[in-house]
Amino acid sequence: MTGYRFERLSVLVVDDSAYMRQLVSTILRGFGVRQIYEAGDAEYAWTLLHEINPDVMLLDWILEGTSGVELTRRVRNDPGSTNPLLPIIMITGNTHIDRVREARDAGINEILAKPLTVKGLMTRLYSVIEHPRPMVRTERYFGPCRRRRKRDEYQGPERRDGDEQPERATA
């Protein structure tokens, strides 16, 4: 990741804390990001999404009037969404496994735990830009593929087309 250039990247930072927005924006400027937009609540973020169409959105779990998870669901599923494929990184202090699963199931691409680190933010940005996961649409979900590891042991009816069947040992 050394020498990576983010000058042309447009980022929307959504957090109800002005301090956190300023901290994240300062780190992004340190990476070379020039187009940084900030929103303190989900409604203003929704408006900005339509006006600027950012490349990446960073958001907190807790927002004024709603949650980052609900905003993510809206971005992914609302017919009026300008970019349902938008890479979304959630920055949260609550990383309990149930919360992580809820965020994942809403369509979050990456989760970054607070306290925020420069390396953590760089790693997540790099991941959504250079190694994006394919988007998946099912009856109950739309968002990035939730599979992070190749697992061949599942053989059930929900196995995706195109998944290679594991080689079976013969006796």
Side-chain angles (χ1 to χ4, degrees), residues 99-132:
R99 286 285 183 112
V100 171
R101 285 182 180 138
E102 185 178 352
R104 176 203 65 193
D105 292 347
I108 295 289
N109 295 74
E110 294 288 338
I111 295 178
L112 180 58
K114 291 178 183 176
L116 182 69
T117 66
V118 172
K119 181 180 179 183
L121 183 53
M122 173 65 82
T123 301
R124 295 325 182 284
L125 269 178
Y126 182 80
S127 177
V128 299
I129 294 168
E130 290 296 323
H131 303 289

Side-chain angles (χ1 to χ4, degrees), residues 54-134:
D55 299 311
V56 177
M57 180 167 63
L58 305 171
L59 79 159
D60 189 25
W61 187 290
I62 300 170
L63 300 173
E64 182 89 20
T66 189
S67 69
V69 167
E70 286 305 314
L71 179 57
T72 299
R73 285 188 182 113
R74 189 173 181 191
V75 169
R76 297 286 184 237
N77 300 302
D78 190 299
S81 179
T82 55
N83 185 2
L85 306 175
L86 177 70
I88 302 173
I89 301 170
M90 177 168 279
I91 302 172
T92 181
N94 190 338
T95 56
H96 186 273
I97 189 66
D98 292 337
R99 286 285 183 112
V100 171
R101 285 182 180 138
E102 185 178 352
R104 176 203 65 193
D105 292 347
I108 295 289
N109 295 74
E110 294 288 338
I111 295 178
L112 180 58
K114 291 178 183 176
L116 182 69
T117 66
V118 172
K119 181 180 179 183
L121 183 53
M122 173 65 82
T123 301
R124 295 325 182 284
L125 269 178
Y126 182 80
S127 177
V128 299
I129 294 168
E130 290 296 323
H131 303 289
R133 292 182 281 151

Side-chain angles (χ1 to χ4, degrees), residues 4-7 22-34 36 118 121-122 125:
Y4 204 83
R5 300 178 61 182
F6 292 110
E7 293 92 13
Q22 182 180 13
L23 176 64
V24 171
S25 294
T26 300
I27 293 170
L28 291 170
R29 276 191 288 283
F31 295 163
V33 178
R34 295 182 186 151
I36 303 168
V118 172
L121 183 53
M122 173 65 82
L125 269 178

